[in-house]
Amino acid sequence: MSETDEKSSPRTPPVELDPTSSHAAPTEWTTTRKELWAYYLYYVGNNGLSGFNFGPSQFQNLLYLAGYDPTQAPFAAPCGANGCVLPYLGRVRDINSIVLMTNGISFAVQAALLLIIGAWADYGTFRPNITVFFTLLAVAVSFAWLGVEDASHWRVGVALYILGLIAYQGSLTFWTAAFAGLARDLPEVQTSLEEVKEGNKTVEEHAALTSLSRNRISNISFTVSSLGEIIILVVMVGIIKGLNAGASTANNTKAFSVLIAFSGAVWLLCALPWFVLEKRRPGLKLPPGSTLLTIGFKQTYVAFRECLRLKQTFLYLIFYFLMGDVLNTTVTVIGTLQNSRNCRPGCGNICILGGAETVPNQYQSDVVVQRLLDHRFNDLGTHWSAHR
């Protein structure tokens, strides 16, 4: 084996083959069926219903109830056909603008935060701890909405809305980072690697199997999440009926908070198996002269430098991020308009919006990016997937 091949091999420890078997002996990090299904189950809970769907809806509901008619004196008349405004960030704004601005603030915080800590998924063994932290934070925020059922608490709703989105995206990001390691340590992928070492399979064939394994994990997780979310939404319809949400504005507001808390409880139940069964696979060691606070910026610089050498990859990533931004903006605007028109807060109607068709689509795109990087970075002699 050449020196380049040795450097590009995954960091899975060498294994000895049973001469009577065509399969590699399992190692400490071999992905088990239980671990894989725990990974899928986590995605059922982290479906976006609490922080990405009902959180914004409840936030907008509270703003509507707390706002006033802009054609009248401040707080002299409730919101109506003439619009709805509130003082926010130094000036009086329409509540739809408040929702969009708060959403923008949240994503700006996410961008800055993930630029610093996003690289931590590659180093050490504490990536699972970060997933646990963001998950518990998101669940705590979900239950905190139970204490926000009065319009006078709309400022608390601002904080919960921002925290909920950050926790949701953080947990999704660090959970997603585990899928490459799961695929790399599948028994069939480990066996394929041994066949490459023995000269019975080409590197290209092994890379194709690894890529297909990642895609299979991605597709199954998306399918399981979608099916699980359907069940959750059916239960939520029963909760709405049980709380008689359409009877009054107070019932409607309470129902929103209960649905968010219920979604958080389901998330916690679905996350516990993953917390227990995930194997803490070792990551990379920090490069000399780097710290946890600087490695994210260094990785960004290196990635940008390499992308300049890979013109097609660079263009693809630019359009990928633009499409992701368009998707997030479109979903947010549609949800805001739908809440203000068809499901106007305070009118006694709750609109259930499914969340699995938004961010999971971005997760599917992440797999495409991973696959592209595998092919393109191999041209540079860098085995990208070995460092995930």
Side-chain angles (χ1 to χ4, degrees), residues 72-347:
Q72 306 293 326
F75 300 103
C79 297
N82 295 322
C84 188
V85 297
L86 272 174
Y88 185 71
L89 296 181
R91 57 173 294 187
V92 176
R93 306 177 189 273
D94 184 271
I95 63 169
N96 292 335
S97 297
I98 294 176
V99 173
L100 295 177
M101 287 186 64
T102 307
N103 190 74
I105 293 172
S106 173
F107 278 104
V109 173
Q110 290 176 38
L113 182 63
L114 291 177
L115 182 62
I116 298 174
I117 72 172
W120 296 2
D122 295 328
Y123 296 92
T125 59
F126 43 81
R127 179 194 53 75
N129 295 336
I130 301 176
T131 305
V132 171
F133 169 77
F134 277 121
T135 301
L136 294 181
L137 176 60
V139 172
V141 170
S142 298
F143 282 106
W145 278 107
L146 289 173
V148 185
E149 297 180 1
D150 187 87
S152 61
H153 297 153
W154 70 270
R155 291 180 179 83
V156 178
V158 173
L160 293 179
Y161 177 45
I162 293 176
L163 279 177
L165 287 178
I166 293 174
Y168 167 63
Q169 189 62 51
S171 59
L172 185 68
T173 298
F174 284 90
W175 167 82
T176 303
F179 95 97
L182 288 174
R184 183 183 60 245
D185 290 331
L186 286 170
E188 60 268 30
V189 175
Q190 290 182 328
T191 299
S192 175
L193 178 61
E194 289 300 325
E195 292 176 353
V196 172
K197 292 179 179 180
E198 293 178 343
N200 298 326
K201 178 180 284 189
T202 65
V203 174
E204 290 74 16
E205 290 174 332
H206 174 69
L209 175 64
T210 303
S211 180
L212 290 174
S213 298
R214 290 199 194 105
N215 290 337
R216 185 176 71 251
I217 292 175
S218 170
N219 292 334
I220 293 177
S221 64
F222 177 69
T223 302
V224 171
S225 175
S226 298
L227 293 175
E229 186 177 4
I230 292 174
I231 298 175
I232 294 172
L233 290 173
V234 169
V235 175
M236 284 183 168
V237 172
I239 293 175
I240 293 173
K241 294 295 184 181
L243 294 175
N244 199 13
S248 66
T249 297
N251 283 10
N252 184 67
T253 303
K254 180 179 181 180
F256 265 126
S257 295
V258 171
L259 291 178
I260 296 172
F262 171 74
S263 180
V266 172
W267 187 352
L268 180 60
L269 290 176
C270 292
L272 290 177
W274 176 241
F275 293 165
V276 174
L277 296 174
E278 181 186 9
K279 296 181 178 180
R280 300 190 172 231
R281 296 170 175 84
L284 301 173
K285 293 183 179 180
L286 286 173
S290 298
T291 67
L292 289 176
L293 294 179
T294 61
I295 188 61
F297 297 100
K298 289 187 176 181
Q299 272 199 347
T300 302
Y301 167 74
V302 171
F304 182 75
R305 183 186 63 191
E306 297 298 341
C307 281
L308 291 179
R309 299 173 57 186
L310 304 170
K311 304 297 183 182
Q312 296 299 320
T313 302
F314 190 46
L315 288 175
Y316 179 89
L317 291 177
I318 289 176
F319 285 105
Y320 162 72
F321 286 116
L322 286 176
M323 290 177 64
D325 184 64
V326 169
L327 173 64
N328 277 323
T329 303
T330 302
V331 169
T332 302
V333 171
I334 289 176
T336 301
L337 293 177
Q338 190 166 5
N339 285 332
S340 64
R341 301 290 182 181
N342 299 331
C343 305
R344 179 176 296 177
C347 68

Side-chain angles (χ1 to χ4, degrees), residues 1-15:
M1 182 184 298
S2 67
E3 182 180 352
T4 302
D5 291 336
E6 291 178 356
K7 290 182 179 179
S8 64
S9 298
R11 60 178 181 276
T12 305
V15 296

